[in-house]
Amino acid sequence: MISNPKYALLVPTSMGVRLTPPDGQPAHLGGSFTLQATSAETNVASIASSLGLPVKVLTAFVKGHPFASFIRANLLSRGMSVEGPEREQGGPWGYRHQINIADSGCASRGPRVWNDRAGEVGRTLKAADFDLERIFEREGVRLVHLSGLIAALAPEFCLAVAEKAKASGSLVSFDLNYRASFWKGHEKEYRAVFGKIASFADILIGNEEDFQLCLGIEGPETGGTNLDAKTDAFKEMIGTIRSSYPGARVIATTLRGVKDANLHLWGVIVSDDTETIVIPPREIRVLDRIGGGDGFTGGLLYGLLKGWNIEKCAQFGWASGALAATFLTDYALPADEEEVWSIWAGNARVKR
């Protein structure tokens, strides 16, 4: 890696829009909807970009499409540098940006999310769309973050980015993010690609189900709502994960219990090669739960980029995830580090 990298964090992604009814109302009632730009990977990157670290986004756009203009402007407003090809739409049956309809839920009515990804332009992403030599060897990148969502949509592209990042001395983070609907009919292909990307990863993130279904790592029975059992299960798996992927310096997961749509139990486990930090689930109020896990990952990566010890990284990640749950967007935009640390301290007093 070059001595003074231009970018702290780089995220390949497929951008889309999210439509959300106001005030926790169900989507099927219609009426007004809020339009947001969305992707899991830029949700993660928003923590770093909001706190002043330089972020690069690699994506694809539909040429001349109003959503493409909206997305580009939104990412720039979040302090992110954006690069990517523009594809011709090809008529009404051609390419588009994915549409995510998100009902946030309220009280005893749980959230519901519908993904409409037919013709998604992000699926066309390939390594040849970008000058990876320039990005990694001349500009420089400290850390690349990939998720299982973009890895399932554009697997060869993500593998090429991970390989180039590793060869250039960049750190690689991989949030497995298993989605059964994405994997259907591609299980053998994706298992191989995910395993290769994980072999390059310095940071691996996922729950016990993700590690078993994406990477075939043996572990305890998945599922259930007992958070103590989930904690024990994941701690048991850590040794197996390290044996299978010895390059992973940091392994992490979140723990979530749902009392109702607006009151959750929120905890995390973060392990490096010296210790395992368990933050037991604490009650948090939730305005919109979508993106909480991405907020945790973003906070964790920010701490690692800042050179903090693993306990401080875990605490900041926990608090960043809790912060994301207070936003109507599925990404958090912290005002400063102090705001995040106040959440960790349980201090919601007014600041004047």
Side-chain angles (χ1 to χ4, degrees), residues 148-162:
L149 302 182
I150 185 63
L153 290 168
E156 296 306 318
F157 168 62
C158 289
L159 181 56
V161 171

Side-chain angles (χ1 to χ4, degrees), residues 201-344:
D202 301 274
I203 301 131
L204 278 174
I205 302 162
N207 59 32
E208 72 276 15
E209 181 181 60
D210 289 333
F211 281 98
Q212 293 186 58
L213 295 175
C214 292
L215 303 179
I217 291 176
E218 292 187 7
E221 183 178 350
T222 62
T225 58
N226 186 326
L227 294 184
D228 289 336
K230 282 182 172 289
T231 301
D232 292 339
F234 193 79
K235 288 170 69 176
E236 288 175 9
M237 286 188 71
I238 288 172
T240 306
I241 296 167
R242 289 200 184 283
S243 296
S244 301
Y245 295 93
R249 293 171 37 221
V250 176
I251 300 167
T253 192
T254 58
L255 302 164
R256 189 195 295 264
V258 178
K259 292 192 171 183
D260 64 40
N262 306 111
L263 183 61
H264 290 189
L265 296 170
W266 180 243
V268 305
I269 303 172
V270 181
S271 177
D272 67 6
D273 51 7
T274 61
E275 59 182 324
T276 297
I277 304 299
V278 178
I279 298 177
R282 292 159 49 181
E283 280 192 357
I284 61 168
R285 300 295 300 178
V286 175
L287 189 61
D288 185 308
R289 69 162 285 164
I290 307 301
D294 296 329
F296 159 71
T297 299
L300 173 67
L301 297 184
Y302 178 78
L304 293 171
L305 287 166
K306 295 285 284 187
W308 297 343
N309 65 44
I310 199 65
E311 182 176 20
K312 189 174 181 180
C313 291
Q315 292 170 350
F316 199 81
W318 180 94
S320 296
L323 174 67
T326 70
F327 281 70
L328 288 174
T329 53
D330 52 10
Y331 52 86
L333 296 173
D336 46 39
E337 285 185 14
E338 182 184 2
E339 182 177 54
V340 181
W341 285 121
S342 292
I343 291 174
W344 168 252

Side-chain angles (χ1 to χ4, degrees), residues 87-256:
R87 312 285 195 218
E88 294 288 348
Q89 182 181 5
W93 315 117
Y95 293 126
R96 67 175 179 185
H97 293 278
Q98 59 108 345
I99 300 171
N100 181 311
I101 302 172
D103 168 356
S104 301
C106 184
S108 58
R109 177 172 53 80
R112 289 190 172 190
V113 178
W114 293 262
N115 285 297
D116 188 352
R117 309 190 81 123
E120 184 170 356
V121 69
R123 297 184 68 184
T124 69
L125 282 165
K126 53 186 181 295
D129 292 327
F130 304 93
D131 185 347
L132 297 181
E133 186 73 16
R134 166 181 55 82
I135 292 170
F136 285 98
E137 299 294 347
R138 297 197 292 279
E139 295 177 341
V141 176
R142 290 180 61 195
L143 190 155
V144 171
H145 176 69
L146 296 155
S147 91
L149 302 182
I150 185 63
L153 290 168
E156 296 306 318
F157 168 62
C158 289
L159 181 56
V161 171
E163 287 179 326
K164 184 61 178 176
K166 199 66 176 178
S168 302
S170 303
L171 296 173
V172 176
S173 167
F174 189 24
D175 184 350
L176 297 170
N177 246 331
Y178 175 80
R179 294 289 187 276
S181 57
F182 285 23
W183 278 59
K184 188 175 182 180
H186 300 277
E187 289 83 0
K188 185 176 179 180
E189 171 196 353
Y190 287 179
R191 175 71 65 83
V193 171
F194 274 55
K196 288 179 181 177
I197 294 174
S199 71
F200 295 126
D202 301 274
I203 301 131
L204 278 174
I205 302 162
N207 59 32
E208 72 276 15
E209 181 181 60
D210 289 333
F211 281 98
Q212 293 186 58
L213 295 175
C214 292
L215 303 179
I217 291 176
E218 292 187 7
E221 183 178 350
T222 62
T225 58
N226 186 326
L227 294 184
D228 289 336
K230 282 182 172 289
T231 301
D232 292 339
F234 193 79
K235 288 170 69 176
E236 288 175 9
M237 286 188 71
I238 288 172
T240 306
I241 296 167
R242 289 200 184 283
S243 296
S244 301
Y245 295 93
R249 293 171 37 221
V250 176
I251 300 167
T253 192
T254 58
L255 302 164
R256 189 195 295 264

